[in-house]
Amino acid sequence: MASRLLYLVRHGEQDRAEEGGDTGLSARGRRQAELLAARLRGAPFVAVHHGPARRAVETAELVAAALPGVPVHCAESVGDHLPHDTDPAGLPPAYAEFLAGFDERERADGPRRTAEAVARFATAPAEGDVRELVITHNFLIAWLVRHALEAPERRWLGLNHHNCGLTVLRYRDGVPPTLIAHNDVAHLPPDLRATGLPADYLL
């Protein structure tokens, strides 16, 4: 039975000290990516995909260095975008306030790009066993996990992933998707594990 193993990675930690919106990796982020690369070294991926943001590009470059010969592709569909124009009614106030920060264009473009990513990656291949690595952002990983589990659409909210954490989904025809690993950070020491949540949440 043909299957797709989809490895999803959130980019390394962003450098907040840089000025401007599209910043690259911090020193911690580079170290996270290097440790991920060491874990994935030589894995039989057919391709590496990443979004266009600098933090995703730099993470992909560091990981791809451990995967010689594997083609690397940049795609808007796996970039940093709102995955779903979620109705805030009935959501906790913090979620509703967060969603209100997206403008009309983002509410249209984000779900369209997410649908492209789902159509491209969240399916079984025509034949054979395919392994692909997607270096992307928290929102898309959350959406793909929610999609695989057939959870309500609003449940992409609240799924937070570690920088350079590893999530693996398997797709085969005739059976539901399988969540093989979620937010796996075995390759990262505790001081390099970060989700954006307060540190004491991670104990």
Side-chain angles (χ1 to χ4, degrees):
M1 178 183 294
S3 69
R4 182 189 312 279
L5 278 173
L6 186 64
Y7 290 69
L8 300 166
V9 170
R10 185 182 182 184
H11 58 81
E13 182 184 82
Q14 186 175 2
D15 189 351
R16 302 290 182 181
E18 287 189 40
E19 296 183 2
D22 186 19
T23 60
L25 297 179
S26 67
R28 278 168 47 90
R30 287 190 294 275
R31 184 59 182 149
Q32 290 164 343
E34 289 166 353
L35 290 169
L36 174 66
R39 179 172 182 181
L40 297 178
R41 185 176 305 280
F45 294 117
V46 299
V48 176
H49 307 268
H50 63 83
R54 275 183 59 195
R55 56 196 184 275
V57 172
E58 292 177 7
T59 302
E61 289 173 347
L62 290 166
V63 174
L67 302 167
V70 177
V72 180
H73 307 286
C74 182
E76 289 282 353
S77 63
V78 294
D80 189 13
H81 44 71
L82 178 72
H84 182 259
D85 188 11
T86 306
D87 184 352
L91 290 176
Y95 286 0
E97 182 179 351
F98 166 73
L99 291 169
F102 292 91
D103 62 30
E104 187 173 337
R105 180 186 59 79
E106 291 169 321
R107 292 174 183 277
D109 289 349
R112 174 180 56 79
R113 290 176 178 164
T114 299
E116 292 172 359
V118 169
R120 167 62 180 81
F121 295 107
T123 60
E127 58 183 20
D129 294 319
V130 174
R131 293 177 187 239
E132 292 182 282
L133 175 62
V134 176
I135 296 173
T136 182
H137 301 263
N138 188 59
F139 294 168
L140 182 61
I141 298 172
W143 182 263
L144 288 169
V145 169
R146 180 224 63 82
H147 179 269
L149 297 178
E150 299 181 351
E153 291 174 330
R154 62 175 53 196
R155 286 302 293 126
W156 70 272
L157 289 158
L159 289 176
N160 294 291
H161 298 88
H162 287 279
N163 294 113
C164 287
L166 187 62
T167 293
V168 184
L169 295 165
R170 181 170 64 180
Y171 298 92
R172 295 176 294 167
D173 282 334
V175 296
T178 303
L179 180 60
I180 294 176
H182 182 244
N183 211 14
D184 180 351
V185 289
H187 50 286
L188 299 179
D191 63 315
L192 287 180
R193 299 174 187 179
T195 64
L197 294 171
D200 58 356
Y201 284 30
L202 307 179
L203 297 177

